[in-house]
């Protein structure tokens, strides 16, 4: 195969890569999109969408199981094969939508091959031939990892890349990893009637700090066992896999590995790229431009392991595609308010970012006695809000019902530069979960010595 030349070569056809190619082409660049499979984005194929389909089934079962709380009598039967068929049916439709986008690319843009660096600016393809590019965008995503102790039992270990292919639900399941993905799937399987235990070497759940993790663990313990600080030794047994930890022993039919998804950079031969790499072999880059040093190379999406969520991957693709097409005229982009959500119940969300060297104030709202949460039978959790000294909201940690929606409400407020008083000055309908934030917002006004909306509207007293 002869050498192909282009302006912008994008390695990886996931969310970030598709956005990058689209933006670069729109700016007039000759583009190539290189991917070994073109199977669809991680979100559609093995991430966000199939996991939410499983969670939706689990929540339906949970609602039926707990209907007695409202005086409703329901009979529950979980048809595991039917649950998984629906997951795959809808998952496949989401993947097909992504693949339609790929099929609509202009002729010659998509190259089905695995690319690696032969030298700076030159890519070698495993199908033969090379690609010489003025700029290169690395968008290879992330991949599941299997810790060494589990190599000997890997035939009975699932990852997020194959768990949605199962024909039926297991009776018992160990989930290794208590991050957002691990907890989401653990709770979903538990609500579908699987006996679930979660294990993590650390003490954090869903990215929360240790104290907040303990609060979440107390709530979730009614649905599954949670073991933090657990160093597990797996052993193959007749019935599946036996876990041994801290003098304990328990057998599980299957194991779901959710202990992290590192950037998929193996095989790129980055040592030939001329890029400066960190201790993990990831290129050093500027998060405002996505550029690697001053080289004509950009790294985006899960491949840079900075903001590993879909909307950020799409934004990074757009930023990198623009900068790659106009290189060397690289511009710094304004990034969105950080927002991460774990779709567990109660929901977990982190919004904004706390400053490292500046003072801030914190306020707390307890949802264990909140009106709407009690009405819905979901009275648990908390909201913790943070503001700078002027009262401007800068960050929030949520562990509460419908956190995914409240988090976006707060992200909008932070993006708009609103103070706690500004938010209180907006309508807060009764009875809603947002209403539970009022006490925390009022605390922030008091701690920052900022006027409340009433004080601002009242104006000077008569006769003054």
């Amino acid at each position: 195969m002869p050498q192909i030349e282009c302006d912008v070569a994008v390695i990886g056809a996931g969310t970030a890569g598709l956005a990058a190619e689209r933006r670069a082409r729109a700016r007039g660049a000759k583009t190539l999109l290189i991917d070994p499979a073109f199977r669809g984005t991680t979100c559609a194929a093995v991430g966000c969408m199939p996991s939410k389909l499983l969670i939706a089934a689990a929540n339906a079962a949970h609602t039926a199981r707990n209907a007695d709380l409202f005086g409703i009598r329901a009979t529950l039967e979980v048809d595991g094969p039917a649950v998984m068929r629906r997951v795959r049916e809808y998952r496949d439709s989401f993947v097909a939508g992504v693949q339609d986008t790929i099929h609509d690319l202009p002729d010659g843009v998509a190259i089905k091959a695995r690319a690696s660096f032969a030298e700076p600016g030159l890519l070698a393809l495993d199908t033969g031939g090379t690609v010489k590019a003025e700029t290169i965008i690395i968008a290879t995503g992330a991949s599941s990892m299997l810790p060494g102790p589990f190599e000997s039992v890997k035939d009975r270990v699932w990852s997020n890349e194959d768990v949605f292919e199962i024909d039926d639900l297991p009776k018992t399941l160990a989930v290794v990893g208590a991050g957002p993905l691990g907890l989401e799937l653990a709770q979903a399987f538990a609500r579908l009637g699987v006996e679930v235990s979660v294990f993590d070497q650390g003490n954090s759940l869903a990215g929360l700090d240790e104290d907040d993790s303990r609060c979440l663990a107390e709530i979730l313990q009614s649905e599954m066992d949670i073991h933090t600080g657990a160093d597990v030794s797996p052993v193959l047994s007749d019935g599946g896999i036996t876990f041994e930890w801290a003098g304990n022993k328990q057998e599980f039919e299957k194991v779901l590995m959710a202990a992290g998804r590192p950037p998929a950079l193996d095989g790129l031969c980055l040592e030939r790229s001329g890029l400066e790499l960190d201790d993990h072999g990831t290129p050093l880059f500027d998060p405002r431009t996505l550029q690697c040093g001053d080289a004509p190379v950009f790294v985006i999406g899960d491949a840079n392991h900075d903001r590993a969520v879909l909307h950020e991957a799409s934004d990074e693709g757009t930023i990198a595609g623009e900068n790659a097409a106009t290189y060397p005229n690289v511009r710094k982009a304004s990034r969105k308010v950080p927002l991460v959500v774990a779709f567990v119940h109660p929901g977990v969300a982190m919004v904004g970012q706390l400053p490292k060297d500046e003072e801030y104030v914190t306020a707390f709202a307890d949802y264990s006695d909140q009106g709407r949460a009690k009405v819905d039978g979901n009275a648990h959790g908390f909201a913790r809000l943070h503001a700078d000294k002027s009262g401007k909201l800068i960050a929030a940690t949520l562990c509460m019902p419908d956190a995914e929606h409240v988090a976006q409400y707060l992200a909008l407020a932070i993006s708009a530069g609103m103070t706690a008083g500004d938010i209180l000055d907006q309508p807060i309908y009764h009875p809603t979960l947002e209403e539970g934030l009022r006490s925390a917002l009022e605390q922030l006004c008091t701690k920052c010595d900022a006027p409340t909306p009433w004080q601002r509207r009242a104006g000077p007293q008569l006769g003054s």
Side-chain angles (χ1 to χ4, degrees):
M1 181 184 291
Q3 181 169 283
I4 306 172
E5 296 187 2
C6 66
D7 299 319
V8 180
V10 182
I11 309 173
T15 298
L18 288 169
E21 188 282 325
R22 183 168 56 247
R23 183 62 174 181
R25 180 159 42 90
R27 295 289 278 132
K30 179 183 178 182
T31 60
L32 289 178
L33 183 63
I34 309 167
D35 191 278
F38 289 101
R39 66 173 182 172
T41 63
T42 294
C43 172
V46 297
C48 315
M49 302 314 290
S51 66
K52 301 312 165 289
L53 285 161
L54 191 69
I55 289 170
N59 290 343
H62 181 74
T63 298
R65 187 179 292 113
N66 291 278
D68 189 64
L69 175 68
F70 304 96
I72 308 298
R73 308 289 182 263
T75 301
L76 176 64
E77 179 184 351
V78 176
D79 183 340
V83 168
M84 298 312 302
R85 280 197 301 271
R86 181 179 187 271
V87 168
R88 284 191 292 275
E89 177 186 349
Y90 279 83
R91 184 273 312 272
D92 291 348
S93 71
F94 293 129
V95 170
V98 176
Q99 291 177 334
D100 285 345
T101 300
I102 295 169
H103 293 154
D104 290 340
L105 290 171
D107 290 343
V109 168
I111 297 180
K112 194 171 185 178
R114 193 174 300 277
S116 62
F117 280 88
E119 60 184 60
L122 184 67
L123 299 174
L125 305 180
D126 67 347
T127 54
T130 56
V131 171
K132 184 174 178 57
E134 294 298 320
T135 56
I136 295 171
I137 299 175
I138 301 170
T140 47
S143 58
S144 300
M145 62 173 288
L146 186 67
F150 288 86
E151 282 288 345
S152 62
V153 297
K154 62 183 180 181
D155 290 342
R156 296 189 181 179
V157 177
W158 294 327
S159 72
N160 72 297
E161 296 183 5
D162 49 37
V163 69
F164 304 112
E165 302 302 327
I166 63 176
D167 294 324
D168 199 356
L169 305 174
K171 291 182 172 58
T172 59
L173 177 69
V175 177
V176 179
L181 176 63
L183 278 189
E184 286 178 8
L185 294 179
Q187 187 179 50
F189 278 111
R191 290 187 165 188
L192 289 167
V194 179
E195 184 181 329
V196 176
S197 294
V198 178
F199 297 86
D200 198 289
Q201 289 186 329
N203 294 305
S204 172
L205 300 184
L208 295 171
D209 66 27
E210 196 167 330
D211 289 339
D212 291 344
S213 292
R214 279 194 291 268
C215 176
L216 178 59
E218 289 175 3
I219 300 169
L220 296 181
Q221 286 283 7
S222 64
E223 299 188 62
M224 53 190 154
D225 292 331
I226 298 176
H227 306 282
T228 55
D231 190 6
V232 174
S233 297
V235 179
L236 204 62
S237 56
D238 292 339
I241 298 176
T242 296
F243 275 21
E244 298 178 357
W245 77 100
N248 299 293
K249 183 183 292 188
Q250 188 173 351
E251 186 178 69
F252 300 95
E253 184 180 336
K254 291 289 184 179
V255 174
L256 172 61
M257 184 56 63
R261 287 174 53 81
L265 302 175
D266 289 347
L268 278 180
C269 299
L270 289 175
E271 67 276 7
R272 302 175 188 165
S273 68
L275 302 176
E276 185 178 359
L277 310 179
D278 66 16
D279 294 340
H280 301 287
T282 302
L284 298 178
F285 70 100
D286 183 339
R288 297 283 298 276
T289 64
L290 288 312
Q291 185 181 12
C292 302
D294 58 1
V297 179
F298 302 81
V299 59
I300 58 177
D302 288 359
N304 68 36
H305 205 57
D306 184 32
R307 298 188 179 192
V309 290
L310 182 138
H311 69 275
E312 294 287 4
S314 181
D315 281 356
E316 289 185 2
T318 300
I319 295 167
E322 174 78 18
N323 283 333
T326 59
Y327 181 84
N329 297 318
V330 175
R331 296 183 179 181
K332 293 182 182 292
S334 177
R335 301 300 298 269
K336 292 178 179 176
V337 172
L339 172 61
V340 178
V341 175
F343 293 87
V344 289
H345 293 82
V348 172
M350 276 77 76
V351 192
Q353 193 167 19
L354 291 174
K356 293 181 179 179
D357 303 318
E358 298 176 19
E359 293 185 3
Y360 58 89
V361 296
T362 299
F364 183 86
D366 183 3
Y367 271 79
S368 66
D369 194 37
Q370 201 270 334
R372 177 59 182 272
K374 291 171 73 174
V375 166
D376 293 339
N378 291 318
H380 40 224
F382 62 86
R384 185 174 286 106
L385 309 184
H386 309 281
D388 66 15
K389 298 297 285 185
S390 72
K392 186 169 69 175
L393 195 68
I394 55 174
T397 299
L398 308 179
C399 177
M400 55 172 285
D402 281 357
E404 62 191 275
H405 304 299
V406 176
Q408 299 199 121
Y409 168 73
L410 294 175
L412 178 61
I414 293 172
S415 181
M418 297 175 72
T419 65
D422 292 333
I423 301 172
L424 286 168
D425 212 11
Q426 303 304 310
I428 302 177
Y429 210 79
H430 172 79
T432 61
L433 293 168
E434 286 81 358
E435 192 178 29
L437 301 176
R438 183 185 294 278
S439 63
L441 293 166
E442 290 172 345
Q443 289 173 45
L444 291 178
C445 288
T446 300
K447 291 183 177 183
C448 297
D449 196 23
T452 63
W454 165 247
Q455 290 170 329
R456 290 188 299 188
R457 288 197 298 266
Q461 293 182 1
L462 294 176
S464 62

